[in-house]
Amino acid sequence: MAHAFRLGLTGGIGSGKSTVASMLANCGATVLDADAISRSVTAPHGLAIPAIAATFGADTITAAGALDRDRMRALVFAEPSARARLERIIHPLVAEETDRLAQTAVLAGACCLVFDVPLLVESQRWRKKVDQVLVVDCLEATQIARVIARSALTAAEVAAIMAQQASRHQRLKAADVAIFNEGLSMRELASELAELCPRFGLSSATSLALTR
């Protein structure tokens, strides 16, 4: 099987990671979004639904056959161990589906696979699956401001989400390369990424076009 460069992409909420993922896709990378895959296994009649119903009860499943996220969130708040039990159901399924999609992409000739994983640093198994880790970084105050601007969350709610993620120090310590996405325009961000693209086996031509 041909080799494709395997890049782990991560960053805290509001860092701009999703924007960087889109730019990498425009440069020819195949992006595998762990969050999207996780949502798919808990969508109506998803692969995780039977095990979730058996573990937490039928009332955690909506009438449409999907995970009732509000109910599960309340359960996790009331019973912290519920999060670990839910993750033990979802994470192996996400890993299996990610591996399947990666193999399909390589067979189709992909030169670079980008594993977009918000909790890459927190999960030791992901580091073993990638050649390098790219961290998108910014100040914590900027993270909070960006998320508030794009959602209905309060500063306290965003801070609570951040507290469940690795710290900036932990992410940067795990990085092979980092982009400090603080005060950058889209053009400047694309330009920084274009300089890194050859390192990942990608052409920077498309990314550079984004800066014009």
Side-chain angles (χ1 to χ4, degrees):
M1 184 182 295
H3 176 73
F5 190 90
R6 301 167 75 90
L7 177 67
L9 173 65
T10 194
I13 185 172
S15 64
K17 175 182 64 63
S18 296
T19 299
V20 169
S22 295
M23 290 180 176
L24 286 167
N26 284 333
C27 290
T30 298
V31 178
L32 304 172
D33 185 336
D35 268 357
I37 295 171
S38 178
R39 288 192 296 272
S40 74
V41 303
T42 57
H45 311 296
L47 294 174
I49 297 304
I52 292 173
T55 302
F56 298 102
D59 59 347
T60 59
I61 308 302
T62 68
L67 172 66
D68 187 325
R69 296 185 179 278
D70 290 337
R71 189 177 292 274
M72 183 57 69
R73 191 176 298 112
L75 179 60
V76 168
F77 180 79
E79 186 183 344
S81 66
R83 177 186 296 276
R85 286 186 285 149
L86 180 64
E87 289 176 347
R88 282 197 293 271
I89 295 171
I90 293 176
H91 287 183
L93 294 173
V94 172
E96 289 175 11
E97 181 64 4
T98 302
D99 287 344
R100 185 187 69 79
L101 292 173
Q103 290 172 13
T104 300
V106 171
L107 289 172
C111 61
C112 177
L113 304 178
V114 175
F115 296 87
D116 181 350
V117 185
L119 302 182
L120 184 147
V121 173
E122 293 86 335
S123 175
Q124 293 299 316
R125 68 180 182 85
W126 278 109
R127 187 60 184 90
K128 299 173 184 177
K129 287 178 173 287
V130 299
D131 297 313
Q132 291 188 21
V133 172
L134 169 60
V135 170
V136 184
D137 179 51
C138 68
L139 299 177
E140 292 178 352
T142 300
Q143 289 181 253
I144 293 172
R146 286 174 178 166
V147 177
I148 289 175
R150 74 187 189 202
S151 71
L153 296 177
T154 66
E157 289 170 330
V158 179
I161 294 172
M162 291 168 59
Q164 296 175 3
Q165 300 181 337
S167 66
R168 285 185 66 203
H169 173 75
Q170 289 170 321
R171 280 192 296 268
L172 290 172
K173 186 177 179 181
D176 293 295
V177 61
I179 293 177
F180 186 49
N181 185 24
E182 184 71 37
L184 297 181
S185 66
M186 290 289 285
R187 176 174 181 169
E188 291 167 333
L189 178 60
S191 181
E192 284 206 18
L193 187 60
E195 293 182 10
L196 294 172
C197 279
R199 177 173 180 162
F200 310 139
L202 295 169
S203 168
S204 62
T206 305
S207 186
L208 283 171
L210 293 172
T211 69
R212 296 195 184 104

